[in-house]
């Protein structure tokens, strides 16, 4: 098996990623976590955590991949809050830590999926509830409130930040401004995309609308290239 070229290892993992976008993501996380921490520290009494660790993962999605369905406001706020509740319920019901941890994360995934707010850091929130249960078992509000307020504050900062970052947030698929349309030969429809997704049998971190827009633009460039040749 051939080894990958060293230079290939440093190509951005995400499609469309650029150095500018990575810098924007880094600056956004700096501002988001910093401001969220300051705001929450001022709001909460000393006995409550001013920020929870999974919010760091939420910041990665919010600022580095704001177009991801997993990074939208309902995904962040709903996913984290619902996972916190699931983790607390499981921790109360199951006394074996390893079993409780596994059940909390798996249940959180199911509930988030059903409520259309799947958010990867939510699994860490549910796990944190189980692992920290002995610490806040008698005052669960000290865990639930930071999770909810951290998430709300982070989303609010993200919405303000992305007004100036050049990214749409909350994300909406939108045509490319200033790009002339070239008649595309195939005319993909959403039903075609759904059929292709069914064929592949995989789940992708991109909305159907963004995927349709991306393929339409690819058709435009392909038609333009074929016309020139």
């Amino acid at each position: 098996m051939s080894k990958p070229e060293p230079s290939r290892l440093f190509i951005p993992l995400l499609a469309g990623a650029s150095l500018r976008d990575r810098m924007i993501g880094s600056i956004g996380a700096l501002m988001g976590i910093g401001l969220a921490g300051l705001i929450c520290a001022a709001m909460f009494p000393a006995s409550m955590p001013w920020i929870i660790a999974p919010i760091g993962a939420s910041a990665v999605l919010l600022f580095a991949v704001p177009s991801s369905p997993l990074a939208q406001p309902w995904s962040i706020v709903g996913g984290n809050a619902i996972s916190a509740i699931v983790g607390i319920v499981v921790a109360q019901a199951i006394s074996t830590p390893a079993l409780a941890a596994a059940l909390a994360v798996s249940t959180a995934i199911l509930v988030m999926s059903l409520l259309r707010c799947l958010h990867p850091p939510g699994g860490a929130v549910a796990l944190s509830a189980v692992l920290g249960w002995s610490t806040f078992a008698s005052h669960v509000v000290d865990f639930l409130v930071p999770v909810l307020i951290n998430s709300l504050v982070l989303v609010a900062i993200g919405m303000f930040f992305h007004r100036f970052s050049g990214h749409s947030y909350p994300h909406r698929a939108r045509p490319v401004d200033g790009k002339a349309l070239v008649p595309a030969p195939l005319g993909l429809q959403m039903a075609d995309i759904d059929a292709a997704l069914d064929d592949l049998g995989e789940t992708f971190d991109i909305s159907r609308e963004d995927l349709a827009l991306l393929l339409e633009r690819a058709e435009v460039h392909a038609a333009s290239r074929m016309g020139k040749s």
Side-chain angles (χ1 to χ4, degrees), residues 68-80 82 108-119 207-209:
S68 169
L70 308 178
Q72 300 314 298
W74 171 235
S75 295
I76 294 177
V77 177
N80 284 337
I82 289 167
I109 291 173
L110 176 61
V111 175
M112 285 189 291
S113 298
L114 292 175
L115 296 179
R116 301 177 64 83
C117 58
L118 187 64
H119 187 57
S207 69
R208 294 164 64 250
E209 292 75 18

Side-chain angles (χ1 to χ4, degrees), residues 12-164:
L13 176 64
L14 299 174
S18 66
L19 177 59
R20 174 185 178 275
D21 287 332
R22 299 296 73 98
M23 293 300 296
I24 287 175
S26 177
I27 294 169
L30 174 65
M31 294 176 57
I33 294 297
L35 289 174
L38 290 173
I39 293 170
C40 294
M43 294 176 60
F44 301 155
S47 61
M48 296 172 63
W50 55 275
I51 200 163
I52 61 168
I55 289 297
S58 296
V60 173
L61 289 169
L62 174 58
F63 295 106
V65 281
S67 63
S68 169
L70 308 178
Q72 300 314 298
W74 171 235
S75 295
I76 294 177
V77 177
N80 284 337
I82 289 167
S83 296
I85 295 172
V86 168
I88 288 171
V89 170
V90 172
Q92 287 178 322
I94 308 296
S95 58
T96 305
L99 178 59
L103 188 59
V105 175
S106 62
T107 304
I109 291 173
L110 176 61
V111 175
M112 285 189 291
S113 298
L114 292 175
L115 296 179
R116 301 177 64 83
C117 58
L118 187 64
H119 187 57
V125 172
L127 185 60
S128 297
V130 171
L131 297 180
W133 181 244
S134 59
T135 304
F136 58 80
S138 59
H139 39 89
V140 296
V141 171
D142 287 0
F143 177 72
L144 284 175
V145 170
V147 169
L148 180 59
I149 300 301
N150 284 175
S151 301
L152 287 169
V153 169
L154 190 69
V155 165
I157 294 169
M159 292 175 71
F160 178 79
F161 177 82
H162 283 305
R163 289 183 63 183
F164 305 96

